Amino acid sequence: MLFNLDNLITVLAHELAHTILTDTKPESQEVNGGHGKEHDKICEELLKLIQNSEEYRELKKFWK
């Protein structure tokens, strides 16, 4: 299955990282499509934040 909760939050974290970097370090988004060390670090932190949230745990109960 390609579409599942884990893939969804990975995409959300990825795109949020681009949004954050566009506002805070726009020059980072001009190189390699915005995919660099800063992007990877922000993605990792966002994933942790999402996975540790009560909302994620609640949604995971209903995801099939």
Side-chain angles (χ1 to χ4, degrees):
M1 178 188 312
L2 294 175
F3 186 75
N4 58 41
L5 183 58
D6 290 331
N7 288 344
L8 176 62
I9 65 163
T10 298
V11 170
L12 287 172
H14 178 94
E15 297 306 331
L16 283 171
H18 283 299
T19 302
I20 291 167
L21 285 169
T22 296
D23 284 348
T24 60
K25 293 189 176 191
E27 67 280 359
S28 72
Q29 298 303 287
E30 296 173 7
V31 178
N32 195 24
H35 301 108
K37 290 180 183 179
E38 290 174 301
H39 180 268
D40 293 345
K41 183 178 178 184
I42 292 174
C43 280
E44 184 179 316
E45 293 300 317
L46 287 167
L47 276 172
K48 287 180 197 175
L49 182 70
I50 293 167
Q51 290 170 335
N52 289 325
S53 72
E54 181 61 37
E55 292 83 0
Y56 173 77
R57 288 190 295 274
E58 189 68 24
L59 185 57
K60 195 164 182 137
K61 291 177 189 177
F62 297 102
W63 196 276
K64 297 182 184 201

